[in-house]
Every structure is written in structure tokens, then in C-alpha cells.
Amino acid sequence: MMRGRADNSKRRHLIISLFAIVLVIGFLYYLGSSFSSGGHTAGSALDYGSRSLRSFRWNVDENDEAGEKQDDSSLFSLQGESILAPKSFPICDDRHSELIPCLDRHLIYQMRLKLDLSLMEHYERHCPQPERRYNCLIPPPPGYKVPIKWPRSRDEVWKANIPHTHLAHEKSDQNWMVVKGDKIEFPGGGTHFHKGADRYIKALANMLNFTNNNMNNEGNLRTVLDVGCGVASFGGYLLSSDIVSMSLAPNDVHQNQIQFALERGIPAYLGVLGTKRLPYPSRSFDLAHCSRCRIDWLQRDGILLLELDRLLRPGGYFAYSSPEAYAQDEEDLRIWREMSSIVERMCWKIAAKRNQTVIWVKPLTNDCYFEREPGVQPPLCPSEDDPDAAWEVSMQACITPYSAQVQRTGGSGLAPWPARLTEIPPRLSDFGYSEDFFVKDKEIWQNRVDEYWNKLGSKIMPNSIRNVMDMKSNLGSFAASLKDKDVWVMNVVPNEGPNTLKIIYDRGLIGSVHDWCEAYSTYPRTYDLLHAWNIFSDMERKGCGAEDLLIEIDRILRPTGFVIVRDKKHVVKFIKKFLSALQWQAIVESESESESGEIDVVFIIQKKMWISNNILTDSA
């Protein structure tokens, strides 16, 4: 009996040992296949997590050349294990060709977030945790072509680039867009302006008695926030009047409207008036616009109107085109009365009213606020509230009073456009910057932009570049230096630094606050050029994944688009090791002295045109 038990015990140990060996071999095979250099199928393209959790190191050996095998622990590590930089990235499944990681409804469902749909929380940003991030390249849709160039793109785009024609059918009676052969055309219509945005804009200017019915009001009206913008024809037609509009809409049931706007070359951003402030500082816009934008302005004691109030400059306008302004039935009349009561208590006045359009104007000073009866709602915001805080900050149901400077000057003190671009911004002193510092910054960036364009040389034609993003804008001088180019610039100010975005808006430019540890709120393939000044060095200091940022840049960038990296030498060495995996091509590299006297490297990269066929293919 004892011998039989011993034999059985040995057999059990042998079986357990063999099973453990099989498990180890299977695990090693899995690791090897995860980081092999071969092609990846669409089924493996989701590849959540592992590479996003890496802790990157940047002390690259200066003697190493891109692509050479080396001790990979000098680059990054994963739980103490060394991993080589990949020779290729997997390709995301085709169903993710329009993925916006922080606005992914599938992620919201999977995470089972408890969101208040009535407050539009499901349209706000909800970013995946590191272990749920996509480590794959977003493929273009089948038949994708290099976008039509501006200014033709305002009126037509390739249907293959945005293969969504449902809006053309849903809005067929409103003249938004028309499908014609292999293109989608935009006649300039909207829900409230079927006969064209240009005629509607002239009508608004006429209501305000602006000279020659020109909406720019001799340069005094420059920045516009178009809420619920549709396909952004309103913003597109304002551009010819030297007015730049931030066209804003959520990724909602008409989810591709912002994608159409950016494909057309019109400034736009995915956002929603929900529970959080929009990512712009106070006093950013000369005019806010809502044309049947389906927003309940009465909710939560008028908190959404108060958010517009925060964003409007002294003397700024809110143009509201909706049946409520005409008040034909009892329900419209009720809404009009309640809305009128709120804005009156906010000290807004009616500047003009005609048919279904009303234009309110915001006061120039605090005088009206202080003359209100005690206890009148909404209250003034407390003194400790920072009206310029705009990243993941909850909206407040209170009126943002003006600064002492605005009260003294009786307005924003801004020069008309285009002088506004180069004159000293009124809020420059908020940061302790001198006028000489501002002038020097303009000169530095003008020289750098000239240098960039010289280096790009024959790679760009006069209309090759339209949508530009400056990933770390500082004072906005990079964008200001592009004033003679037919481009627009999304100036991004990182959330952790000084909030210089209000200086950028004072200069008549637009932009947003953002945290580059997360994905940006835009569709894939929406920018022609990204300028990355010290962004990777910032990621190094913050401890965010540099590979995640490279994949995000690739997501945002259009095929054949450019990235200008201006950073430290070891950062550029690091990036060069991923060029092949990303299907990027180095254009030029040179050294340049920074303002601190250190040596920066300027590295210009172009994204190749490739198609998804399980393995990346260069079709350029």
C-alpha cells in the first residue's frame, strides 16, 4: 500500500511539473509574439496595455544610430525587464479608423461609468486607464486620398475620407451638405440659414449696424465661439472677414460634424457644454453664436449661459437664432421669458432683435453687477475663484466679475485686428512678463518659423499645409509668425504650466488647454503639421509614456503631414528609433541654439501614406 501511494505521488508530481513547463513555454511564446517584428493582423491590433505601462528612460548613447541594436534598458523598462524598441506597431482594426480615445463611447459602456445623461456627461472626456490604451496605428479608411487643399476644401471634400453621408440625408432640407459622385459638397447652409452662411452673417452684421455689413466691425470682432456648429459652415464663411471661429460640437448623434469641419480646413474642437468648463480662459471670445444648437439654456439656474458669460469679453455679443426668440407658441414664449429674465439679471442687454434672432451684449464694466439688489441670482463668483482655470474644472453658477484693469479701462483694451496680433497684450502683466520679453519672443519665433520653412523647402507647396497645431504655444508667437501663410493654428497650452492661453486669445488667436499625458479631443487625420517644442522633455519630467505620445501624434496627423520636433538631442535620438515602426520619414535634422544658450535639435519628420492590409505598406 505504501509503495502504491508513493508511485501515485511521483506521477502526480511529474504531471504537475510537465504542466508548469507547458505554461512557462506558452508564456514565453506569447511574449515573443507580442514584440516580434513581423506583421500583425487586425485581430491583434487592440494589444491593450503592456507598452503603455513602460517607464521610459532617455539617456540614449550619443554614439548610437537609429535602428542599431543596443542595451534597451537605456531606453525604457517594463517591470525590470528589458524590451527593444519595436520595428513595427500593430494596426488597429478598421472599425477604429475614427477612434478618439477620450471620447470613446464603447469605453464608457465597458467601464460602466455612472453618468448623468441629462447633464451631457457622456459626451465629456473620459480617458482610458494605461492598461486599456490602444497600442496600434489608426488606419485610414479604404480609398483614402490626400485631402483637397484650401480654399477648395471649404466647399468640397473626398467622400472616401469621411464615408458618412447620413447627415446629407438627415439635413437635406437645410442645405448642410450634398453627395456628388466621389465628393461631398457644402453649399454653406445650416439649420437656421438654408440660403447660405454668407447671407446670414451679413444679416447679423446689419442688425448690429457694422460698417458695410462686415462682421469684423473694422477689426474689433475677431474671435468667435460657435456652439453646436454643425459642419462649421458659419465658421468657414467668417474666415474671409478675418474672423477666426472655434467651432464646437460634441461627438453626439451627429458625430462626424467636427470631422467634416476639420477635413474642410475650418478650426474646430470636440467639446460639450455639460458639467465642466470649456478648455478656454475667461474673456476669450468677442462673440458667441448658437443657431438652433439644441441646448437647454435654462437648466441648473442658467449655468450654461454663465459659462458663455465667463468666456465673453467686455462688450462681447451672444447671437441666438432659435424659434424661442420669435415666441410663436406658448412653450416658446415661456422659454423666452425665463431666458430673458436670466440674462437681464446677468446684466446682458438686447443689442438687436429681428425675426428668430436676438443678439445680446455683455456689459463693459462691473458697474451693473454692483448695482443689483442684494441677493439677486446668479451671484458673483467668489474672489478665490480663478476664472481662467479651464482644465477639468466644474462650471460654476455665478457671474465672473472683471479684473480691476478692465474696470479702470472700461473694456478689454484690445487693439483692432490685425494690430491686435503684435501689440502688447493687456494680460501680459499677469505673468510678470515685460514688454521687451514679448518683443524678443516674437523675434525669436519669427526666425525659427523662417528656418522651418527653409528646411521644408520643396517638400511643401504654397497650399500643402492648412491645419496646424502648436503643441506648446507659450505666448503664441509661433502662430503669429505664420500670419502670412494661409493656415490656422490650434495653440495648445499644457495644463500644468502658466496659463498663457489668455495672452494668445488677447492676440486674436485661438487654442485650448490640454494635458499631453492624454489623447487630444480631435478625430484622427485632422492636422497637416504639428509643432512639438520641448513636449517630449515635458513628458520625461512628468513620467508619462513617450511611446503613447508618438502614437497619439500619429493618430492626429494626416498622411503626408509633418511633425517639427524641437527638443534636446537625446530626445531626438529616442524618437528616431521609432520612425520605421510609425512609418515616418526623416526629412532634415539640424542643431539650433535655444534662448537659454543650450543646443536644441530641430528634427522634421513626414508621415508616409500607407494602407491597411495587415502589414503597413508605403504607397507614397
Side-chain angles (χ1 to χ4, degrees):
M1 291 293 293
M2 294 297 294
R3 181 185 179 102
R5 289 179 180 176
D7 290 341
N8 288 336
S9 176
K10 288 179 181 180
R11 279 195 295 271
R12 283 197 298 272
H13 284 121
L14 179 60
I15 291 170
I16 292 170
S17 299
L18 288 172
F19 183 71
I21 291 170
V22 169
L23 283 177
V24 170
I25 292 172
F27 180 69
L28 291 174
Y29 176 80
Y30 170 77
L31 283 180
S33 63
S34 296
F35 301 105
S36 67
S37 60
H40 297 260
T41 65
S44 68
L46 302 188
D47 194 34
Y48 282 120
S50 58
R51 286 199 289 276
S52 294
L53 294 173
R54 294 175 186 166
S55 174
F56 285 85
R57 301 177 186 175
W58 300 80
N59 52 326
V60 179
D61 187 342
E62 296 295 332
N63 295 319
D64 290 333
E65 293 298 326
E68 283 189 5
K69 189 173 181 179
Q70 62 167 351
D71 177 10
D72 53 281
S73 64
S74 65
L75 287 176
F76 43 78
S77 63
L78 170 63
Q79 298 177 349
E81 296 182 45
S82 297
I83 302 173
L84 291 173
K87 292 181 180 179
S88 67
F89 284 110
I91 306 168
C92 296
D93 190 278
D94 285 344
R95 69 180 184 273
H96 298 294
S97 67
E98 293 169 357
L99 176 70
I100 310 164
C102 293
L103 297 173
D104 182 5
R105 276 178 243 151
H106 298 293
L107 174 72
I108 292 174
Y109 299 148
Q110 292 166 9
M111 294 175 67
R112 299 180 181 177
L113 299 178
K114 295 181 179 179
L115 304 175
D116 191 328
L117 304 188
S118 68
L119 301 184
M120 308 293 279
E121 284 186 302
H122 55 306
Y123 292 141
E124 294 181 327
R125 288 174 58 84
H126 302 281
C127 296
Q129 295 298 312
E131 66 272 11
R132 297 188 67 89
R133 290 177 182 168
Y134 291 87
N135 289 296
C136 50
L137 302 185
I138 304 291
Y144 181 87
K145 301 179 182 181
V146 173
I148 294 171
K149 304 304 182 185
W150 183 267
R152 279 181 54 215
S153 63
R154 188 194 72 172
D155 302 323
E156 60 180 20
V157 301
W158 296 117
K159 183 173 66 175
N161 290 10
I162 310 179
H164 302 286
T165 58
H166 60 283
L167 278 178
H169 303 298
E170 290 179 29
K171 304 293 183 178
S172 59
D173 61 330
Q174 298 168 13
N175 222 18
W176 278 29
M177 48 192 277
V178 179
V179 178
K180 287 191 177 180
D182 60 355
K183 294 177 181 175
I184 297 174
E185 296 184 357
F186 301 88
T191 305
H192 191 77
F193 41 89
H194 308 170
K195 296 181 180 179
D198 50 350
R199 292 179 61 175
Y200 173 69
I201 290 166
K202 286 182 180 179
L204 294 179
N206 180 265
M207 289 175 64
L208 293 169
N209 295 317
F210 289 168
T211 304
N212 298 323
N213 293 335
N214 192 330
M215 199 64 188
N216 73 14
N217 190 25
E218 299 180 346
N220 289 296
L221 197 152
R222 165 64 182 171
T223 52
V224 170
L225 177 66
D226 187 18
V227 181
C229 63
V231 293
S233 289
F234 181 74
Y237 279 82
L238 283 173
L239 288 165
S240 60
S241 298
D242 271 342
I243 296 173
V244 61
S245 177
M246 180 70 79
S247 296
L248 181 83
N251 187 29
D252 62 4
V253 291
H254 297 146
Q255 56 186 289
N256 299 99
Q257 49 195 347
I258 290 298
Q259 190 179 16
F260 280 120
L262 291 163
E263 182 75 11
R264 297 172 69 187
I266 300 170
Y269 183 84
L270 276 161
V272 64
L273 282 166
T275 66
K276 303 290 180 65
R277 285 178 174 176
L278 295 176
Y280 319 120
S282 68
R283 305 186 341 239
S284 292
F285 298 98
D286 299 309
L287 176 132
H289 173 255
C290 160
S291 172
R292 297 200 186 186
C293 54
R294 300 191 307 156
I295 291 175
D296 178 8
W297 296 107
L298 301 180
Q299 64 174 282
R300 292 174 284 161
D301 301 317
I303 194 169
L304 305 185
L305 284 168
L306 290 161
E307 173 65 358
L308 290 189
D309 185 82
R310 181 183 73 87
L311 296 175
L312 282 174
R313 293 205 172 104
Y317 300 98
F318 176 42
Y320 180 57
S321 294
S322 184
E324 291 85 7
Y326 189 49
Q328 282 188 303
D329 58 38
E330 195 59 38
E331 179 62 14
D332 288 341
L333 184 59
R334 180 192 66 81
I335 294 172
W336 171 252
R337 285 172 176 166
E338 293 186 27
M339 195 167 174
S340 297
S341 175
I342 292 174
V343 299
E344 183 178 357
R345 285 179 270 122
M346 290 165 54
C347 292
W348 290 7
K349 305 292 184 184
I350 292 180
K353 187 172 183 290
R354 184 184 300 168
N355 299 329
Q356 292 189 16
T357 298
V358 60
I359 304 176
W360 285 286
V361 61
K362 186 180 174 184
L364 288 168
T365 67
N366 291 322
D367 293 349
C368 175
Y369 305 142
F370 298 145
E371 292 168 359
R372 299 186 310 164
E373 294 292 329
V376 170
Q377 299 295 316
L380 294 180
C381 296
S383 57
E384 62 268 20
D385 178 70
D386 179 4
D388 300 320
W391 184 251
E392 295 299 316
V393 177
S394 297
M395 290 182 189
Q396 303 296 324
C398 57
I399 298 171
T400 302
Y402 297 130
S403 65
Q405 180 190 29
V406 171
Q407 184 69 14
R408 284 194 308 270
T409 58
S412 61
L414 294 173
W417 180 266
R420 186 181 297 187
L421 182 66
T422 53
E423 290 198 4
I424 304 300
R427 291 188 276 187
L428 184 71
S429 58
D430 291 1
F431 300 89
Y433 297 147
S434 67
E435 294 185 7
D436 288 342
F437 178 84
F438 178 76
V439 172
K440 183 66 175 175
D441 187 73
K442 285 192 301 180
E443 294 173 354
I444 287 172
W445 282 106
Q446 185 63 65
N447 291 334
R448 288 177 176 176
V449 167
D450 291 342
E451 173 194 3
Y452 295 158
W453 250 249
N454 287 335
K455 291 181 184 302
L456 282 166
S458 60
K459 284 286 182 180
I460 57 169
M461 302 300 289
N463 62 350
S464 294
I465 295 173
R466 173 62 185 170
N467 301 354
V468 178
M469 177 183 286
D470 189 8
M471 299 175 69
K472 184 181 178 182
S473 296
N474 197 28
L475 304 183
S477 292
F478 170 83
S481 299
L482 292 169
K483 62 183 181 298
D484 296 328
K485 313 290 185 186
D486 206 359
V487 304
W488 67 272
V489 181
M490 180 67 79
N491 293 279
V492 180
V493 171
N495 67 306
E496 76 281 356
N499 190 2
T500 54
L501 193 57
K502 58 184 177 181
I503 293 177
I504 290 167
Y505 273 95
D506 278 359
R507 300 182 72 176
L509 304 169
I510 60 170
S512 65
V513 178
H514 184 62
D515 181 354
W516 282 114
C517 292
E518 300 176 359
Y520 193 78
S521 292
T522 193
Y523 279 92
R525 304 174 300 279
T526 46
Y527 284 88
D528 299 298
L529 186 148
L530 274 68
H531 178 240
W533 171 51
N534 285 338
I535 283 293
F536 286 92
S537 289
D538 291 346
M539 294 298 99
E540 179 182 7
R541 286 190 291 272
K542 292 177 67 174
C544 302
E547 185 179 350
D548 287 334
L549 182 58
L550 287 170
I551 292 174
E552 172 64 2
I553 288 174
D554 184 81
R555 185 186 73 86
I556 294 174
L557 194 63
R558 285 173 169 174
T560 73
F562 299 91
V563 185
I564 301 175
V565 176
R566 188 182 197 98
D567 217 311
K568 302 299 179 285
K569 192 171 184 178
H570 71 276
V571 171
V572 172
K573 285 282 187 182
F574 175 84
I575 293 171
K576 287 166 72 174
K577 295 183 179 295
F578 290 85
L579 294 184
S580 176
L582 291 163
Q583 289 290 298
W584 291 359
Q585 178 182 0
I587 300 300
V588 67
E589 178 183 353
S590 65
E591 293 185 353
S592 181
E593 186 174 343
S594 70
E595 58 270 28
S596 63
E598 298 178 356
I599 298 299
D600 284 342
V601 176
V602 175
F603 187 40
I604 301 180
I605 306 157
Q606 185 173 24
K607 178 178 177 177
K608 296 179 182 180
M609 175 73 83
W610 54 267
I611 58 175
S612 174
N613 188 20
N614 291 340
I615 301 176
L616 295 179
T617 304
D618 182 7
S619 63

